[in-house]
Amino acid sequence: MAVRKIPIAHKATQRQQRMLGISSLLLLGISLYCADLDMKQIAAGMERLPAIGRQLAQLSFTNGGELLRELVTSIVVAFLSVILGVVAALFLAFLVAANTTPNRLFGRVLNAVFVIIRTIPTTIWVLLAVASMGFGPMAGVLGLMFPTVSYLIRTFASQIEEAGGETIEAIRSVGGTWWHVIAKGLLPTLLTAFMATTAFRFEISVAESVILGMVGAGGIGSLLQGYISYYQFADLSLGILMVFFTMFLLEMGTVQIRKRMGRQN
Amino acid sequence: MEPILTIQGLKKQYSAGTWGLNGIELTVQPGEFIAVIGPSGAGKSTLLRCMNRLIEPTEGSVTFLGEDVVHANKRQLRSIRARMGMIFQHYNLVYRSSVLENVLHGRLGYIGSLAGMLGRYPEADKEEAIALLQKVGLENEVYKRADELSGGQKQRVGVCRALAQKPSLILADEPIASLDPKSSKTVMDAIHTNCREQEIACLVNLHQVDYAKAYATRIVGIKAGRVVFDGPVEQLTSDITQYLYEGQEHEMFHKAAI
Ligand SMILES: Nc1ncnc2c1ncn2[C@@H]1O[C@H](COP(=O)(O)OP(=O)(O)OP(=O)(O)O)[C@@H](O)[C@H]1O
Ligand SMILES: [Mg+2]
């Protein structure tokens, strides 16, 4: 009897996977060609790496105070932008969400505006803010607010659309107003979800705020930028460590918050 | 006697092609307890939701206590809705709020936006809400969060919310479809007794024909968006039931099994 192997894979899936493999390889080839990589430059960089590593390994605490102060500034910038963002988004999300918008067309136009805002990178917003307000934390807050608000609106709105239906019907059916639907029906229902989203966004905003310091938004980023420019690797490594621990603690905190919120569901 | 509700030539077209309702004629007199039965997809939920315009009807008229529901403006609609209680299959409570708060939501139609948002309900309303809860046997659950209750208890809160509106008409869309037989009876009794005592007319969608027969004063059979039977319980013969659910026996069995 001839041994015939029985195929087990799904035909269409197999074809898709093959297509994916081929196009990935193709893209890799094109990318390598376009990036115009210079092997000598890479080799030279590699040679310098151990030296930089050694310098980074020597921690210097001389600028610790300044670093700490600027780190706090970075966090404050993120915090302010998120708080202001939440206030704006809480209201706007109800205007955008399909099941609560007072007017469909208006809701869609508003949503389109925020989609456009979202597609523009945070760095550009901060640069624009710096250009109009000058360097410093205020520019950071303003610049970070745009992407924060539009992120929160999108997430809040989809949470409203997902969980709202039955609650909205209930409050409408008793003759409640739009404000009743929001305040008595949706806010209590979605509060914990909103808080978890906000905590998550705060985490992202702190990370962004640290980086954005490098383009003039104030905070620890501007210090780090300076250290790199002047090869002060010992100071730089302390800064990096501090950022690392901040992010680590923050993530632990938000995970806790989300766990608690989850348990209340 | 002036009817509570008059429905004439009511049609609802969902998207091009799907008709939820196809010309409904129905009159509800004060004190009537009407069970609406019919196969799945017949348009029972659509009919009830067109009464308070949770769904906008496409054509036809609905008159509630002499008022034109279909052409009512925002304010009139609010006042109409305030006088029509609605009970949902999935209870539709605000689960993060207390049981009492949920019952008080029934009063939102009578108070302004700001007072409602701040939860400023009159003390008398609170007392009545608690009395309603006691009446349905939830006196120990008043301050529990709504999501801590069992299904049957949740639906009794839903019933209390509708009653708190002091309505002239109650619309109940399959109030017991998600409940076990014992809870079903408790809930149906709560609806029935209160409607009787307070002379509230009731329009209730039911899947279980035996429940419809047990509670209703009148039965309305709907099929493909039209009224195909309308009469007292005694006139609902097994032939009619069979015609109503024709080609749906399988489904009836399925529904009963759930
Ligand atoms: N939102 C909707 N969009 C499009 N069609 C709908 C919508 N809701 C209901 N329909 C259609 O309208 C018809 C009537 O639906 P309806 O929900 O009123 O039936 P029903 O009698 O309540 O059924 P069931 O007993 O299963 O609850 C069905 O054909 C259904 O597919
Ligand atoms: Mg239905």
Side-chain angles (χ1 to χ4, degrees):
Chain A
M1 221 167 80
V3 182
R4 232 186 106 233
K5 285 190 183 165
I6 301 172
I8 48 173
H10 184 246
K11 281 266 167 54
T13 316
Q14 238 176 352
R15 205 163 41 235
Q16 272 172 1
Q17 282 168 346
R18 218 173 296 133
M19 281 298 294
L20 193 70
I22 292 170
S23 35
S24 306
L25 274 178
L26 210 68
L27 278 175
L28 180 67
I30 295 173
S31 314
L32 282 174
Y33 177 77
C34 290
D36 197 13
L37 295 177
D38 182 352
M39 282 305 156
K40 264 185 245 146
Q41 197 186 350
I42 293 177
M46 286 297 191
E47 274 169 27
R48 273 200 303 272
L49 268 184
I52 293 178
R54 264 196 306 282
Q55 281 171 302
L56 275 174
Q58 303 165 341
L59 271 182
S60 150
F61 289 94
T62 45
N63 289 326
E66 194 182 12
L67 274 169
L68 195 65
R69 204 175 59 233
E70 292 299 305
L71 179 62
V72 171
T73 308
S74 285
I75 295 174
V76 167
V77 164
F79 186 73
L80 279 178
S81 69
V82 169
I83 291 295
L84 295 174
V86 166
V87 173
L90 261 188
F91 182 68
L92 291 169
F94 288 108
L95 299 182
V96 166
N99 49 3
T100 51
T101 181
N103 179 310
R104 279 282 158 97
L105 185 69
F106 171 72
R108 253 188 245 147
V109 170
L110 201 63
N111 191 35
V113 170
F114 286 106
V115 168
I116 294 171
I117 291 179
R118 241 184 342 258
T119 54
I120 300 172
T122 314
T123 319
I124 306 251
W125 285 114
V126 172
L127 284 172
L128 283 174
V130 167
S132 68
M133 313 181 61
F135 293 100
M138 263 325 287
V141 172
L142 187 70
L144 263 174
M145 253 189 76
F146 287 93
T148 304
V149 168
S150 52
Y151 170 87
L152 289 176
I153 286 179
R154 181 184 60 173
T155 316
F156 287 174
S158 62
Q159 282 164 339
I160 295 167
E161 281 163 8
E162 202 176 308
E166 296 193 343
T167 316
I168 294 170
E169 270 200 331
I171 306 288
R172 284 212 183 119
S173 79
V174 300
T177 62
W178 187 81
W179 293 101
H180 290 156
V181 172
I182 307 297
K184 289 275 121 179
L186 293 174
L187 278 182
T189 306
L190 290 167
L191 199 61
T192 48
F194 285 176
M195 273 159 78
T197 304
T198 306
F200 180 62
R201 177 64 219 190
F202 179 59
E203 202 183 308
I204 298 175
S205 288
V206 171
E208 284 193 330
S209 149
V210 166
I211 296 168
L212 290 171
M214 299 188 178
V215 297
I220 196 167
S222 49
L223 280 184
L224 299 183
Q225 162 82 358
Y227 296 154
I228 295 174
S229 312
Y230 297 105
Y231 301 103
Q232 289 169 265
F233 290 116
D235 295 311
L236 180 64
S237 50
L238 178 64
I240 292 173
L241 263 183
M242 283 166 69
V243 170
F244 169 77
F245 275 113
T246 311
M247 292 312 300
F248 183 71
L249 289 177
L250 207 60
E251 176 152 345
M252 299 243 295
T254 50
V255 165
Q256 277 304 316
I257 289 177
R258 271 187 283 172
K259 243 194 219 153
R260 292 247 170 90
M261 299 287 148
R263 219 177 296 135
Q264 275 182 26
N265 273 324
Chain B
M1 237 184 323
E2 198 199 345
I4 297 265
L5 188 76
T6 313
I7 304 164
Q8 281 171 326
L10 191 69
K11 295 189 179 182
K12 169 66 191 180
Q13 183 171 33
Y14 277 107
S15 46
T18 0
W19 285 88
L21 298 177
N22 222 327
I24 297 274
E25 309 281 338
L26 189 67
T27 306
V28 182
Q29 301 293 343
E32 278 195 295
F33 197 94
I34 302 178
V36 181
I37 60 172
S40 185
K44 304 182 297 293
S45 301
T46 308
L47 175 65
L48 246 60
R49 280 172 163 70
C50 280
M51 299 302 95
N52 58 7
R53 277 176 51 198
L54 284 181
I55 292 177
E56 292 291 342
T58 311
E59 226 183 284
S61 76
V62 177
T63 314
F64 175 66
L65 296 173
E67 290 177 54
D68 181 352
V69 177
V70 179
H71 298 103
N73 65 27
K74 245 185 181 165
R75 233 181 65 225
Q76 292 164 330
L77 181 61
R78 247 195 101 198
S79 138
I80 289 169
R81 281 176 176 169
R83 289 171 284 151
M84 276 190 204
M86 191 164 217
I87 299 168
F88 301 85
Q89 178 182 348
H90 301 292
Y91 329 125
N92 293 26
L93 304 181
V94 179
Y95 294 107
R96 301 300 178 87
S97 300
S98 74
V99 166
L100 180 58
E101 170 94 57
N102 270 283
V103 177
L104 284 168
H105 287 161
R107 301 306 300 164
L108 284 175
Y110 297 98
I111 60 180
S113 285
L114 194 63
M117 284 167 79
L118 298 174
R120 292 227 184 97
Y121 303 99
E123 289 305 307
D125 287 1
K126 294 185 200 165
E127 280 163 27
E128 280 175 44
I130 293 174
L132 281 170
L133 285 167
Q134 277 170 345
K135 205 166 164 203
V136 298
L138 292 176
E139 58 275 2
N140 295 322
E141 274 74 27
V142 175
Y143 292 105
K144 280 194 182 159
R145 237 170 63 166
D147 56 5
E148 293 169 23
L149 303 184
S150 73
Q153 290 173 325
K154 282 176 186 156
Q155 193 58 298
R156 276 182 272 161
V157 175
V159 172
C160 287
R161 177 176 63 196
L163 291 170
Q165 293 176 242
K166 301 216 182 77
S168 306
L169 174 71
I170 281 185
L171 309 164
D173 191 7
E174 294 180 30
I176 55 170
S178 327
L179 301 177
D180 63 85
K182 193 161 166 287
S183 307
S184 295
K185 192 173 174 322
T186 325
V187 167
M188 280 310 291
D189 282 342
I191 299 175
H192 189 247
T193 322
N194 282 290
C195 284
R196 263 286 106 87
E197 287 174 7
Q198 294 158 54
E199 289 170 350
I200 302 168
C202 185
L203 212 51
V204 52
N205 287 350
L206 284 172
H207 256 299
Q208 305 89 330
V209 179
D210 44 338
Y211 272 97
K213 282 179 164 171
Y215 288 93
T217 56
R218 182 176 147 202
I219 290 187
V220 170
I222 290 191
K223 193 173 179 178
R226 281 202 179 85
V227 176
V228 294
F229 173 83
D230 186 347
V233 178
E234 308 84 66
Q235 282 178 19
L236 185 77
T237 60
S238 57
D239 280 355
I240 296 173
T241 331
Q242 207 164 13
Y243 165 70
L244 210 56
Y245 289 95
E246 213 165 77
Q248 301 256 350
E249 291 86 5
H250 167 72
E251 186 164 1
M252 259 176 90
F253 174 73
H254 178 70
K255 282 268 151 82
I258 295 174

